[in-house]
Amino acid sequence: MAAGGSGGGLLAFLRLLGQLKRVPRTGWVYRNVAKPESVSDHMYRMAVMALVSEDKNLNKDRCIRLALVHDMAECIVGDIAPADNISKEEKHRREEAAMKQLTQLLSEDLKKEIYELWEEYENQCTAEAKFVKQLDQCEMILQAFEYEELENTPGRLQDFYDSTADLAPHYYPAGDLGLLSSCLPSFSMSENVNRDDKSWEWKARKKNDGIRMTVSSFKTVTTPAGVKAKHTRPPNIWGIMTIIWISESSFKYPF
């Protein structure tokens, strides 16, 4: 098989990459979700999420590229989930070997570009890589909500929400308002954070009609009608973003 950027090498690369269409996301398989999405499904929506971000402090083009590359190794090693009981070190070793095998089929310039994008995401060494990691978690929660909605089984996939809790900075959304604002340009947002006890209150107001909602670390939400209710999702940036994102047009709260 030809390599090093020849036509044969590029075709082999694209055919390997095509396997991502047929690799189901393992977490959904283990939870017996009907017709689980593929890895490429997940990566595509992440790339679109990066595309529609309006954060001027980030290199949008690089975010899109990172989203397209970040799970590329799974076309060879598959989607390794926490339930597989494979250490982070071993997972990284397998994926690193897969990326070297995959990019070896490309020209030197493309090989360097794609491998370095993968390394940047793995090392979480740039603002763009960290943002795309946030998108990775947000897309997963959004997909979990959609599966619950399709199956009419609210709360069945709660553990996917819970799995993101420790990934939210300080377990509350301080400092992440810019992420929410970039994804939800039709809202104005404010936050009140107590760094001593890590409690917070987060408010969103729809700019065109003044509709407001409040979410707090005490798992309460105040609706536009002023009604307070409990919500079951973990009080972190991912849950909040998904709740508001889904609710943006209808203001129906999927708690």
Side-chain angles (χ1 to χ4, degrees), residues 82-120:
D84 293 322
N85 294 318
I86 293 172
S87 70
K88 289 183 179 179
E89 293 77 15
E90 176 61 16
K91 179 177 184 291
H92 178 80
R93 187 196 67 77
R94 293 184 190 184
E95 292 181 348
E96 182 179 44
M99 286 303 297
K100 288 178 179 178
Q101 175 185 341
L102 193 59
T103 56
Q104 193 66 34
L105 296 165
L106 299 171
S107 67
E108 285 301 314
D109 288 346
L110 283 173
K111 172 184 174 180
K112 183 174 185 293
E113 178 186 1
I114 291 176
Y115 188 81
E116 287 182 354
L117 283 166
W118 178 80
E119 277 193 316
E120 180 180 335

Side-chain angles (χ1 to χ4, degrees), residues 23-180:
V23 176
R25 294 263 283 167
T26 305
W28 311 130
V29 174
Y30 288 167
R31 293 303 303 275
N32 298 313
V33 169
K35 297 180 179 179
E37 66 169 342
S38 69
V39 173
S40 64
D41 293 333
H42 166 68
M43 291 170 66
Y44 174 75
R45 183 154 64 177
M46 276 182 63
V48 173
M49 291 163 79
L51 176 65
V52 299
S53 168
E54 296 188 345
D55 191 333
K56 305 303 181 185
N57 296 314
L58 294 171
N59 182 329
K60 180 187 291 192
D61 178 70
R62 192 154 193 88
C63 288
I64 295 169
R65 289 168 184 257
L66 286 163
L68 290 172
V69 167
H70 82 287
D71 278 342
M72 197 174 277
E74 294 179 11
C75 70
I76 294 173
V77 301
D79 182 19
I80 301 171
D84 293 322
N85 294 318
I86 293 172
S87 70
K88 289 183 179 179
E89 293 77 15
E90 176 61 16
K91 179 177 184 291
H92 178 80
R93 187 196 67 77
R94 293 184 190 184
E95 292 181 348
E96 182 179 44
M99 286 303 297
K100 288 178 179 178
Q101 175 185 341
L102 193 59
T103 56
Q104 193 66 34
L105 296 165
L106 299 171
S107 67
E108 285 301 314
D109 288 346
L110 283 173
K111 172 184 174 180
K112 183 174 185 293
E113 178 186 1
I114 291 176
Y115 188 81
E116 287 182 354
L117 283 166
W118 178 80
E119 277 193 316
E120 180 180 335
Y121 180 82
E122 283 289 295
N123 295 329
Q124 290 290 285
C125 55
T126 63
E128 286 75 15
K130 292 174 182 176
F131 177 71
V132 173
K133 181 66 174 179
Q134 293 173 337
L135 294 185
D136 180 58
Q137 299 300 313
C138 182
E139 201 286 327
M140 179 188 70
I141 290 178
L142 181 55
Q143 186 62 68
F145 172 79
E146 289 171 346
Y147 284 142
E148 290 180 342
E149 188 177 50
L150 286 167
E151 297 175 355
N152 194 26
T153 54
R156 184 171 91 81
L157 300 173
Q158 177 67 33
D159 50 319
F160 286 91
Y161 288 80
D162 295 341
S163 71
T164 70
D166 292 336
L167 297 173
H170 310 296
Y171 199 63
Y172 57 86
D176 283 318
L177 212 58
L179 170 61
L180 285 167

Side-chain angles (χ1 to χ4, degrees), residues 134-224:
Q134 293 173 337
L135 294 185
D136 180 58
Q137 299 300 313
C138 182
E139 201 286 327
M140 179 188 70
I141 290 178
L142 181 55
Q143 186 62 68
F145 172 79
E146 289 171 346
Y147 284 142
E148 290 180 342
E149 188 177 50
L150 286 167
E151 297 175 355
N152 194 26
T153 54
R156 184 171 91 81
L157 300 173
Q158 177 67 33
D159 50 319
F160 286 91
Y161 288 80
D162 295 341
S163 71
T164 70
D166 292 336
L167 297 173
H170 310 296
Y171 199 63
Y172 57 86
D176 283 318
L177 212 58
L179 170 61
L180 285 167
S181 299
S182 70
C183 293
L184 299 166
S186 64
F187 282 82
S188 61
M189 303 173 195
S190 62
E191 64 184 353
N192 180 24
V193 176
N194 184 328
R195 293 181 182 273
D196 294 327
D197 63 8
K198 297 184 180 180
S199 64
W200 52 263
E201 183 179 73
W202 182 85
K203 294 183 178 181
R205 180 174 66 83
K206 204 165 187 180
K207 294 176 182 177
N208 61 345
D209 53 19
I211 296 176
R212 300 178 68 91
M213 75 173 291
T214 302
V215 185
S216 83
S217 56
F218 303 105
K219 293 192 175 183
T220 60
V221 57
T222 303
T223 70

